[in-house]
Coordinates of all heavy atoms in Angstrom, one line a residue:
M1 N 45.4 -39.6 -33.5 CA 45.9 -38.9 -34.6 C 47.4 -38.8 -34.4 O 47.9 -38.4 -33.3 CB 45.3 -37.6 -34.7 CG 45.9 -36.7 -35.9 SD 45.3 -35.0 -35.9 CE 43.7 -34.9 -35.2
P2 N 48.3 -39.3 -35.4 CA 49.7 -39.2 -35.2 C 50.1 -37.7 -35.1 O 49.6 -36.8 -35.7 CB 50.2 -39.7 -36.5 CG 49.3 -40.5 -37.0 CD 47.9 -39.9 -36.6
E3 N 51.0 -37.4 -34.1 CA 51.5 -36.1 -33.8 C 52.9 -35.9 -34.2 O 53.8 -36.6 -33.6 CB 51.3 -35.8 -32.2 CG 49.9 -36.0 -31.6 CD 49.1 -34.7 -32.0 OE1 49.6 -33.6 -32.2 OE2 47.8 -34.9 -31.8
L4 N 53.3 -35.1 -35.1 CA 54.5 -34.8 -35.7 C 54.9 -33.4 -35.2 O 54.0 -32.6 -35.0 CB 54.6 -35.0 -37.1 CG 54.5 -36.5 -37.8 CD1 53.2 -37.2 -37.2 CD2 54.5 -36.4 -39.2
K5 N 56.3 -33.2 -35.3 CA 56.8 -31.8 -35.1 C 57.5 -31.4 -36.3 O 58.1 -32.1 -36.8 CB 57.7 -31.7 -33.9 CG 56.8 -32.0 -32.6 CD 57.7 -31.4 -31.4 CE 57.0 -31.5 -30.0 NZ 55.6 -30.9 -30.0
V6 N 57.4 -30.0 -36.5 CA 58.3 -29.5 -37.7 C 59.8 -29.9 -37.5 O 60.2 -29.6 -36.3 CB 58.0 -28.1 -37.7 CG1 59.1 -27.4 -38.7 CG2 56.7 -27.6 -38.3
G7 N 60.5 -30.4 -38.4 CA 61.8 -30.8 -38.2 C 62.2 -32.0 -37.6 O 63.4 -32.4 -37.5
Q8 N 61.2 -32.8 -37.1 CA 61.3 -34.1 -36.5 C 61.5 -35.1 -37.6 O 60.6 -35.0 -38.5 CB 60.1 -34.4 -35.7 CG 60.1 -35.8 -35.1 CD 58.8 -36.1 -34.4 OE1 57.8 -35.6 -34.7 NE2 58.7 -37.2 -33.6
R9 N 62.3 -36.0 -37.5 CA 62.5 -36.9 -38.5 C 61.5 -38.1 -38.2 O 61.4 -38.6 -37.1 CB 64.0 -37.7 -38.5 CG 64.9 -36.8 -39.0 CD 66.3 -37.6 -38.9 NE 67.4 -36.6 -39.3 CZ 67.7 -36.6 -40.8 NH1 67.2 -37.5 -41.6 NH2 68.7 -35.9 -41.1
V10 N 60.7 -38.5 -39.2 CA 59.6 -39.4 -39.0 C 59.8 -40.5 -40.0 O 59.9 -40.3 -41.1 CB 58.2 -38.7 -39.1 CG1 57.1 -39.7 -39.0 CG2 58.1 -37.4 -38.1
R11 N 59.6 -41.7 -39.6 CA 59.6 -42.9 -40.5 C 58.2 -43.5 -40.5 O 57.7 -43.9 -39.5 CB 60.7 -43.8 -40.1 CG 60.7 -45.1 -41.0 CD 62.0 -45.9 -41.0 NE 62.9 -45.2 -41.9 CZ 64.1 -45.6 -42.0 NH1 64.6 -46.6 -41.3 NH2 65.0 -44.9 -42.8
W12 N 57.6 -43.6 -41.8 CA 56.3 -44.3 -41.9 C 56.6 -45.6 -42.4 O 57.3 -45.8 -43.4 CB 55.4 -43.5 -42.9 CG 55.1 -42.1 -42.5 CD1 55.8 -40.9 -42.6 CD2 53.7 -41.7 -42.0 NE1 55.1 -39.9 -42.1 CE2 53.7 -40.3 -41.7 CE3 52.7 -42.3 -41.6 CZ2 52.7 -39.5 -41.2 CZ3 51.6 -41.6 -41.0 CH2 51.6 -40.3 -40.9
Y13 N 55.9 -46.6 -41.7 CA 56.0 -48.1 -42.1 C 54.7 -48.3 -42.8 O 53.7 -48.3 -42.2 CB 56.3 -49.0 -41.0 CG 57.6 -48.7 -40.3 CD1 57.9 -47.8 -39.3 CD2 58.7 -49.4 -40.9 CE1 59.2 -47.6 -38.7 CE2 60.1 -49.2 -40.4 CZ 60.3 -48.4 -39.3 OH 61.4 -48.2 -38.8
L14 N 54.7 -48.6 -44.1 CA 53.5 -49.0 -44.9 C 53.3 -50.3 -45.1 O 54.4 -50.9 -45.7 CB 53.4 -48.0 -46.0 CG 53.8 -46.5 -45.8 CD1 53.9 -45.8 -47.2 CD2 52.5 -45.9 -45.0
M15 N 52.4 -50.9 -44.8 CA 52.2 -52.5 -45.1 C 50.8 -52.8 -45.7 O 49.8 -52.2 -45.2 CB 52.4 -53.2 -43.7 CG 53.9 -53.1 -43.3 SD 53.9 -53.7 -41.6 CE 54.1 -52.4 -40.7
A16 N 50.7 -53.7 -46.5 CA 49.5 -54.1 -47.0 C 49.3 -55.7 -46.7 O 50.3 -56.4 -46.8 CB 49.3 -54.0 -48.6
D17 N 48.1 -56.3 -46.3 CA 48.0 -57.6 -46.2 C 47.9 -58.3 -47.6 O 47.9 -57.8 -48.6 CB 46.7 -57.8 -45.2 CG 45.4 -57.6 -45.9 OD1 45.4 -57.5 -47.2 OD2 44.5 -57.5 -45.2
A18 N 47.8 -59.6 -47.4 CA 47.8 -60.5 -48.6 C 46.4 -61.1 -48.8 O 46.2 -62.1 -49.6 CB 48.8 -61.6 -48.3
S19 N 45.4 -60.6 -48.2 CA 44.1 -61.2 -48.4 C 43.4 -61.1 -49.8 O 42.6 -61.9 -50.1 CB 43.1 -60.7 -47.3 OG 42.9 -59.3 -47.5
D20 N 43.9 -60.1 -50.4 CA 43.4 -59.9 -51.8 C 44.6 -59.6 -52.7 O 45.2 -58.5 -52.5 CB 42.3 -58.6 -51.8 CG 41.6 -58.5 -53.2 OD1 42.4 -59.0 -54.3 OD2 40.7 -57.9 -53.3
A21 N 44.8 -60.4 -53.5 CA 46.1 -60.4 -54.4 C 46.0 -59.2 -55.5 O 46.9 -59.0 -56.1 CB 46.2 -61.7 -55.1
F22 N 44.9 -58.4 -55.5 CA 44.7 -57.5 -56.5 C 44.6 -56.0 -55.8 O 44.4 -55.1 -56.5 CB 43.5 -57.5 -57.5 CG 43.7 -59.0 -58.2 CD1 42.9 -60.1 -57.7 CD2 44.5 -59.0 -59.2 CE1 43.0 -61.2 -58.4 CE2 44.8 -60.3 -59.9 CZ 43.8 -61.4 -59.5
D23 N 44.6 -56.0 -54.4 CA 44.4 -54.7 -53.8 C 45.6 -54.0 -53.7 O 46.5 -54.0 -52.7 CB 43.8 -55.0 -52.4 CG 42.5 -54.6 -52.3 OD1 41.9 -53.8 -53.2 OD2 41.9 -54.7 -51.2
I24 N 45.9 -53.0 -54.7 CA 47.1 -52.2 -54.6 C 46.5 -51.0 -53.8 O 45.4 -50.5 -53.9 CB 47.5 -51.8 -56.0 CG1 48.0 -53.0 -56.7 CG2 48.5 -50.6 -56.0 CD1 48.2 -52.8 -58.2
H25 N 47.5 -50.4 -53.0 CA 47.2 -49.2 -52.2 C 48.1 -48.1 -52.8 O 49.2 -48.3 -53.0 CB 47.3 -49.4 -50.7 CG 46.5 -50.5 -50.3 ND1 45.2 -50.3 -50.0 CD2 46.7 -51.7 -49.9 CE1 44.7 -51.4 -49.5 NE2 45.6 -52.3 -49.4
V26 N 47.7 -46.8 -52.8 CA 48.5 -45.7 -53.1 C 48.3 -44.6 -51.9 O 47.2 -44.0 -51.8 CB 48.1 -45.0 -54.4 CG1 49.0 -44.0 -54.6 CG2 48.1 -46.0 -55.6
I27 N 49.2 -44.9 -51.1 CA 49.1 -44.1 -49.8 C 49.6 -42.7 -50.1 O 50.6 -42.4 -50.7 CB 49.9 -44.6 -48.6 CG1 49.6 -46.1 -48.5 CG2 50.0 -43.8 -47.4 CD1 48.2 -46.4 -48.2
H28 N 48.9 -41.6 -49.6 CA 49.0 -40.2 -50.1 C 49.0 -39.3 -49.0 O 47.9 -39.5 -48.2 CB 48.1 -39.9 -51.2 CG 48.1 -38.4 -51.4 ND1 49.1 -37.7 -51.9 CD2 47.0 -37.5 -51.4 CE1 48.8 -36.4 -52.1 NE2 47.5 -36.2 -51.8
W29 N 49.9 -38.4 -48.7 CA 49.9 -37.5 -47.7 C 49.6 -36.1 -48.2 O 50.1 -35.7 -49.1 CB 51.2 -37.3 -47.0 CG 51.7 -38.6 -46.1 CD1 51.5 -38.9 -45.0 CD2 52.6 -39.6 -46.7 NE1 52.2 -40.0 -44.6 CE2 52.8 -40.6 -45.8 CE3 53.0 -39.8 -48.0 CZ2 53.6 -41.7 -46.0 CZ3 53.8 -41.1 -48.3 CH2 53.9 -41.9 -47.2
H30 N 48.7 -35.5 -47.5 CA 48.4 -34.0 -47.8 C 49.5 -33.2 -46.9 O 49.9 -33.6 -45.9 CB 47.0 -33.4 -47.4 CG 46.0 -34.0 -48.5 ND1 44.9 -33.3 -48.8 CD2 46.0 -35.2 -48.9 CE1 44.1 -34.1 -49.6 NE2 44.8 -35.3 -49.8
G31 N 49.9 -32.0 -47.5 CA 50.7 -31.0 -46.7 C 52.1 -31.3 -46.5 O 52.9 -30.2 -46.4
N32 N 52.7 -32.5 -46.6 CA 54.1 -32.7 -46.4 C 54.7 -33.7 -47.3 O 53.8 -34.7 -47.7 CB 54.4 -33.1 -45.1 CG 54.3 -31.9 -44.0 OD1 55.1 -31.2 -43.8 ND2 53.0 -31.8 -43.5
D33 N 55.8 -33.7 -47.9 CA 56.3 -34.7 -48.7 C 57.1 -35.6 -47.9 O 57.5 -35.4 -46.8 CB 57.3 -34.1 -49.8 CG 56.6 -33.2 -50.8 OD1 55.4 -33.4 -51.1 OD2 57.2 -32.3 -51.3
A34 N 57.5 -36.9 -48.5 CA 58.2 -37.9 -47.8 C 59.4 -38.3 -48.9 O 59.3 -37.9 -50.0 CB 57.5 -38.9 -47.4
S35 N 60.2 -39.1 -48.4 CA 61.2 -39.7 -49.1 C 61.0 -41.1 -49.2 O 61.2 -41.8 -48.1 CB 62.7 -39.2 -48.7 OG 63.5 -39.9 -49.5
S36 N 60.9 -41.9 -50.4 CA 60.8 -43.3 -50.3 C 61.5 -43.9 -51.6 O 61.2 -43.3 -52.6 CB 59.3 -43.6 -50.3 OG 59.1 -45.0 -50.3
N37 N 62.1 -44.9 -51.4 CA 62.9 -45.5 -52.5 C 63.6 -44.5 -53.3 O 63.8 -44.6 -54.5 CB 61.8 -46.2 -53.5 CG 62.4 -47.5 -53.9 OD1 63.4 -48.0 -53.5 ND2 61.5 -48.0 -54.9
G38 N 64.4 -43.6 -52.6 CA 65.2 -42.6 -53.3 C 64.5 -41.4 -54.1 O 65.0 -40.7 -54.9
M39 N 63.2 -41.4 -53.7 CA 62.4 -40.4 -54.5 C 61.6 -39.4 -53.5 O 61.1 -40.0 -52.5 CB 61.3 -41.0 -55.6 CG 61.9 -41.8 -56.6 SD 60.7 -42.6 -57.6 CE 60.3 -44.0 -56.5
R40 N 61.5 -38.2 -53.8 CA 60.8 -37.2 -53.0 C 59.3 -37.3 -53.5 O 59.1 -37.2 -54.8 CB 61.4 -35.8 -53.0 CG 60.5 -34.9 -52.3 CD 61.1 -33.5 -52.1 NE 60.3 -32.8 -51.3 CZ 60.6 -31.4 -51.0 NH1 61.8 -31.0 -51.5 NH2 60.0 -30.6 -50.3
T41 N 58.4 -37.6 -52.7 CA 57.0 -37.9 -53.2 C 56.0 -37.6 -52.1 O 56.4 -37.4 -50.9 CB 56.9 -39.3 -53.5 OG1 55.6 -39.7 -54.2 CG2 57.1 -40.3 -52.3
D42 N 54.7 -37.5 -52.5 CA 53.6 -37.4 -51.5 C 52.7 -38.6 -51.8 O 51.6 -38.6 -51.2 CB 52.9 -36.2 -51.6 CG 52.3 -35.9 -52.9 OD1 52.3 -36.8 -53.8 OD2 51.6 -34.8 -53.1
A43 N 53.2 -39.6 -52.4 CA 52.4 -40.8 -52.6 C 53.3 -42.1 -52.8 O 54.2 -41.9 -53.6 CB 51.5 -40.7 -53.8
V44 N 52.9 -43.1 -52.2 CA 53.6 -44.4 -52.2 C 52.7 -45.5 -52.5 O 51.8 -45.6 -51.8 CB 54.5 -44.6 -50.8 CG1 55.3 -46.0 -50.9 CG2 55.5 -43.5 -50.6
Q45 N 53.1 -46.4 -53.6 CA 52.4 -47.5 -53.8 C 52.8 -48.8 -52.9 O 54.0 -48.9 -52.6 CB 52.7 -48.0 -55.3 CG 52.1 -47.1 -56.3 CD 52.4 -47.6 -57.6 OE1 52.7 -48.8 -58.0 NE2 52.4 -46.7 -58.7
V46 N 51.8 -49.4 -52.5 CA 52.1 -50.6 -51.8 C 51.3 -51.9 -52.4 O 50.0 -51.8 -52.4 CB 51.6 -50.4 -50.2 CG1 52.0 -51.8 -49.4 CG2 52.4 -49.2 -49.6
L47 N 52.0 -52.9 -52.9 CA 51.4 -54.1 -53.5 C 50.9 -55.0 -52.4 O 51.3 -54.8 -51.1 CB 52.5 -54.7 -54.3 CG 53.0 -53.8 -55.4 CD1 54.2 -54.5 -56.2 CD2 51.9 -53.5 -56.4
P48 N 50.0 -55.9 -52.8 CA 49.5 -56.9 -51.8 C 50.7 -57.6 -51.1 O 51.7 -58.0 -51.7 CB 48.7 -58.0 -52.7 CG 48.3 -57.1 -53.9 CD 49.4 -56.1 -54.1
A49 N 50.6 -57.8 -49.8 CA 51.6 -58.4 -49.0 C 52.9 -57.5 -49.0 O 53.9 -58.0 -48.6 CB 51.9 -59.7 -49.3
G50 N 52.9 -56.4 -49.6 CA 54.1 -55.5 -49.7 C 54.3 -54.5 -48.5 O 53.4 -54.4 -47.7
M51 N 55.4 -54.0 -48.5 CA 55.8 -53.1 -47.5 C 56.6 -51.9 -48.1 O 57.3 -52.1 -49.1 CB 56.8 -53.7 -46.4 CG 56.0 -54.7 -45.6 SD 57.0 -55.5 -44.3 CE 57.8 -56.9 -45.4
A52 N 56.6 -50.7 -47.5 CA 57.4 -49.7 -47.9 C 57.7 -48.8 -46.7 O 57.0 -48.9 -45.7 CB 56.5 -48.8 -49.1
I53 N 58.8 -48.1 -46.9 CA 59.2 -47.3 -45.8 C 59.2 -45.7 -46.6 O 59.5 -45.6 -47.6 CB 60.6 -47.5 -45.3 CG1 60.4 -48.7 -44.4 CG2 61.2 -46.4 -44.6 CD1 61.8 -49.2 -43.9
A54 N 58.6 -44.8 -45.7 CA 58.8 -43.4 -46.2 C 59.4 -42.5 -45.0 O 58.7 -42.6 -44.0 CB 57.4 -42.9 -46.6
D55 N 60.3 -41.8 -45.4 CA 60.8 -40.9 -44.3 C 60.3 -39.6 -44.7 O 60.4 -39.0 -45.8 CB 62.3 -40.9 -44.3 CG 63.0 -42.3 -44.0 OD1 62.3 -42.8 -43.0 OD2 63.9 -42.7 -44.6
M56 N 59.9 -38.7 -43.5 CA 59.3 -37.5 -43.7 C 60.0 -36.5 -42.7 O 60.3 -36.9 -41.5 CB 57.9 -37.6 -43.3 CG 57.1 -36.2 -43.5 SD 55.4 -36.3 -43.1 CE 54.6 -37.1 -44.6
L57 N 60.3 -35.3 -43.2 CA 60.9 -34.3 -42.4 C 59.8 -33.2 -42.5 O 60.0 -32.3 -43.3 CB 62.2 -33.8 -42.9 CG 63.1 -32.9 -41.9 CD1 63.4 -33.6 -40.7 CD2 64.2 -32.5 -42.8
P58 N 58.8 -33.0 -41.5 CA 57.6 -32.3 -41.8 C 58.2 -30.7 -41.8 O 59.0 -30.4 -40.9 CB 56.7 -32.6 -40.6 CG 57.2 -33.9 -40.2 CD 58.7 -34.0 -40.5
D59 N 57.7 -30.0 -42.6 CA 58.1 -28.5 -42.6 C 56.7 -27.6 -42.7 O 56.8 -26.5 -42.9 CB 59.0 -28.3 -43.7 CG 58.3 -28.5 -45.2 OD1 57.3 -29.1 -45.2 OD2 59.0 -28.3 -46.1
N60 N 55.5 -28.3 -42.8 CA 54.4 -27.7 -43.0 C 53.4 -28.0 -41.7 O 52.6 -28.9 -41.8 CB 53.7 -28.0 -44.3 CG 52.8 -27.1 -44.8 OD1 52.5 -26.1 -44.2 ND2 52.1 -27.5 -45.9
P61 N 53.2 -27.0 -40.9 CA 52.3 -27.3 -39.7 C 50.8 -27.3 -40.2 O 50.4 -26.6 -41.1 CB 52.7 -26.2 -38.7 CG 53.5 -25.1 -39.4 CD 53.9 -25.7 -40.7
G62 N 50.0 -28.1 -39.4 CA 48.6 -28.1 -39.7 C 48.2 -29.4 -39.3 O 48.8 -30.4 -38.9
I63 N 46.9 -29.6 -39.6 CA 46.2 -31.1 -39.6 C 46.0 -31.4 -41.0 O 45.3 -30.7 -41.7 CB 44.8 -30.8 -38.7 CG1 45.3 -30.5 -37.3 CG2 44.2 -32.2 -38.9 CD1 43.9 -30.4 -36.4
W64 N 46.5 -32.5 -41.4 CA 46.5 -33.0 -42.8 C 45.9 -34.3 -42.9 O 46.0 -35.1 -42.0 CB 48.0 -33.1 -43.3 CG 48.7 -31.8 -43.3 CD1 49.6 -31.3 -42.3 CD2 48.5 -30.5 -44.0 NE1 50.0 -30.0 -42.5 CE2 49.3 -29.5 -43.5 CE3 47.7 -30.2 -45.1 CZ2 49.4 -28.2 -44.2 CZ3 47.6 -29.0 -45.7 CH2 48.5 -28.1 -45.3
L65 N 45.4 -34.5 -44.2 CA 44.8 -35.8 -44.5 C 45.9 -36.8 -44.9 O 47.0 -36.4 -45.5 CB 43.8 -35.7 -45.6 CG 42.5 -35.1 -45.2 CD1 41.6 -35.0 -46.6 CD2 41.8 -35.9 -44.2
F66 N 45.7 -38.1 -44.6 CA 46.6 -39.2 -45.0 C 45.6 -40.3 -45.4 O 44.8 -40.6 -44.6 CB 47.4 -39.5 -43.7 CG 48.1 -40.8 -43.8 CD1 49.1 -41.1 -44.6 CD2 47.7 -41.8 -42.8 CE1 49.8 -42.3 -44.6 CE2 48.5 -43.0 -42.8 CZ 49.4 -43.3 -43.6
H67 N 45.8 -40.7 -46.8 CA 44.7 -41.6 -47.3 C 45.2 -42.4 -48.3 O 46.2 -42.1 -49.0 CB 43.5 -40.8 -47.6 CG 43.6 -40.0 -48.8 ND1 43.5 -40.4 -50.1 CD2 43.9 -38.6 -48.7 CE1 43.6 -39.2 -50.8 NE2 43.9 -38.3 -50.0
C68 N 44.5 -43.4 -48.6 CA 44.8 -44.2 -49.7 C 44.0 -43.7 -50.9 O 42.9 -42.9 -50.8 CB 44.1 -45.8 -49.6 SG 44.5 -46.7 -51.1
H69 N 44.7 -43.6 -52.1 CA 44.2 -42.8 -53.2 C 43.3 -43.8 -54.2 O 42.7 -43.2 -55.1 CB 45.3 -42.3 -54.1 CG 45.2 -40.8 -54.3 ND1 44.1 -40.2 -55.0 CD2 45.8 -39.8 -53.8 CE1 44.1 -38.9 -55.0 NE2 45.3 -38.7 -54.2
V70 N 43.2 -45.1 -53.9 CA 42.3 -45.9 -54.5 C 40.8 -45.6 -54.1 O 40.6 -45.7 -52.9 CB 42.6 -47.4 -54.3 CG1 41.5 -48.3 -54.9 CG2 44.0 -47.6 -54.9
N71 N 40.0 -45.1 -54.9 CA 38.7 -44.5 -54.6 C 37.8 -45.4 -53.6 O 37.4 -44.9 -52.6 CB 37.9 -44.1 -55.7 CG 38.4 -42.7 -56.3 OD1 39.1 -42.0 -55.6 ND2 38.1 -42.4 -57.5
F72 N 37.7 -46.7 -54.0 CA 36.9 -47.5 -53.0 C 37.4 -47.8 -51.8 O 36.9 -48.0 -50.8 CB 36.3 -48.8 -53.8 CG 37.3 -49.8 -54.1 CD1 37.6 -50.8 -53.1 CD2 38.1 -49.8 -55.3 CE1 38.4 -51.9 -53.5 CE2 39.1 -50.8 -55.6 CZ 39.2 -51.9 -54.6
H73 N 38.9 -47.8 -51.6 CA 39.4 -47.8 -50.2 C 39.2 -46.4 -49.5 O 38.9 -46.6 -48.3 CB 41.0 -48.0 -50.5 CG 41.3 -49.3 -51.1 ND1 42.6 -49.5 -51.5 CD2 40.6 -50.4 -51.4 CE1 42.7 -50.7 -52.1 NE2 41.5 -51.3 -52.0
L74 N 39.3 -45.4 -50.2 CA 39.2 -44.1 -49.6 C 37.6 -44.0 -49.0 O 37.4 -43.7 -47.7 CB 39.4 -43.0 -50.5 CG 39.1 -41.6 -50.0 CD1 39.9 -41.2 -49.0 CD2 39.4 -40.6 -51.2
V75 N 36.7 -44.3 -49.9 CA 35.3 -44.3 -49.4 C 35.0 -45.3 -48.3 O 34.1 -45.2 -47.5 CB 34.4 -44.6 -50.5 CG1 32.9 -44.9 -50.3 CG2 34.5 -43.5 -51.5
G76 N 35.8 -46.5 -48.4 CA 35.6 -47.4 -47.3 C 36.3 -47.2 -46.0 O 36.2 -48.0 -45.2
G77 N 36.9 -46.1 -46.0 CA 37.5 -45.7 -44.7 C 39.0 -45.6 -44.6 O 39.6 -45.4 -43.5
M78 N 39.8 -45.8 -45.6 CA 41.2 -45.7 -45.5 C 41.7 -44.3 -45.6 O 42.3 -43.7 -46.5 CB 41.9 -46.5 -46.7 CG 42.0 -48.0 -46.4 SD 43.1 -48.8 -47.6 CE 44.7 -48.6 -46.7
I79 N 41.3 -43.6 -44.6 CA 41.7 -42.1 -44.4 C 41.7 -41.8 -43.0 O 41.2 -42.2 -42.1 CB 40.5 -41.4 -45.2 CG1 40.9 -39.8 -45.1 CG2 39.1 -41.5 -44.4 CD1 39.9 -38.9 -46.0
A80 N 42.7 -41.0 -42.8 CA 43.0 -40.5 -41.3 C 43.7 -39.1 -41.4 O 43.9 -38.6 -42.5 CB 44.1 -41.4 -40.7
R81 N 43.9 -38.5 -40.2 CA 44.6 -37.2 -40.2 C 45.8 -37.4 -39.5 O 45.9 -38.3 -38.6 CB 43.6 -36.3 -39.5 CG 42.4 -36.0 -40.2 CD 41.5 -34.9 -39.5 NE 41.1 -35.4 -38.2 CZ 40.5 -34.7 -37.3 NH1 40.2 -33.5 -37.5 NH2 40.2 -35.3 -36.1
Y82 N 46.7 -36.5 -39.7 CA 47.9 -36.5 -38.9 C 48.2 -34.9 -38.6 O 47.8 -34.1 -39.4 CB 49.2 -37.2 -39.5 CG 49.7 -36.4 -40.8 CD1 50.9 -35.6 -40.6 CD2 49.1 -36.5 -41.9 CE1 51.6 -34.9 -41.6 CE2 49.8 -35.9 -43.1 CZ 50.9 -35.1 -42.9 OH 51.3 -34.5 -44.0
R83 N 48.7 -34.7 -37.5 CA 49.0 -33.2 -37.0 C 50.5 -33.0 -37.0 O 51.2 -33.7 -36.5 CB 48.5 -33.0 -35.7 CG 48.5 -31.6 -35.2 CD 48.3 -31.3 -33.7 NE 47.2 -32.1 -33.2 CZ 45.9 -31.9 -32.9 NH1 45.4 -30.6 -33.2 NH2 45.1 -32.7 -32.5
V84 N 50.9 -31.8 -37.5 CA 52.2 -31.4 -37.5 C 52.2 -30.1 -36.6 O 51.5 -29.1 -37.1 CB 53.0 -31.0 -38.8 CG1 54.4 -30.6 -38.8 CG2 52.8 -32.3 -39.7
T85 N 52.9 -30.0 -35.6 CA 53.1 -28.7 -34.7 C 54.5 -28.2 -34.8 O 55.4 -28.9 -35.1 CB 52.6 -28.9 -33.4 OG1 53.4 -30.0 -32.8 CG2 51.1 -29.4 -33.3
R86 N 54.6 -26.9 -34.5 CA 56.0 -26.3 -34.3 C 56.5 -26.7 -33.2 O 56.1 -27.1 -32.1 CB 55.9 -24.7 -34.4 CG 55.3 -24.3 -35.8 CD 55.5 -22.8 -35.9 NE 54.9 -22.4 -37.2 CZ 55.6 -22.4 -38.3 NH1 56.8 -22.9 -38.5 NH2 55.0 -22.0 -39.5
Ligands
CU1 CU1 44.2 -48.7 -50.6

């Protein structure tokens, strides 16, 4: 499980493979927002063979979900947890 600290600058690197040209991902964090492409958000789209960067400054401690919002990806296991501690 990724371990983050409140106030720590965190950079998430989000990448998708090119095995399916139609597989769009919508990566979503519970609990904390990130900044990506000049926008404050809690969800980032990643196209096939695409990449995105999201910068997070966690301010909400806890154990949070991090998952793809495409339902069949979520059910298929694209879900994890990350922890934010003080
Ligand atoms: Cu997905």
Side-chain angles (χ1 to χ4, degrees):
M1 179 185 330
E3 301 276 347
L4 288 55
K5 291 197 178 301
V6 168
Q8 171 191 24
R9 292 178 177 272
V10 176
R11 175 159 281 176
W12 296 83
Y13 295 92
L14 310 168
M15 293 171 254
D17 71 15
S19 61
D20 184 335
F22 302 102
D23 242 356
I24 295 169
H25 301 283
V26 181
I27 306 304
H28 171 61
W29 296 267
H30 289 216
N32 289 274
D33 292 333
S35 176
S36 181
N37 218 14
M39 297 174 282
R40 184 173 178 179
T41 182
D42 63 1
V44 174
Q45 290 181 19
V46 184
L47 299 174
M51 294 180 276
I53 286 175
D55 291 321
M56 181 181 281
L57 193 61
D59 62 358
N60 195 5
I63 297 175
W64 302 104
L65 289 176
F66 164 64
H67 64 88
C68 184
H69 238 295
V70 176
N71 279 345
F72 69 93
H73 295 167
L74 174 60
V75 171
M78 284 190 79
I79 184 167
R81 295 180 299 173
Y82 70 99
R83 184 192 325 259
V84 178
T85 56
R86 292 193 185 276

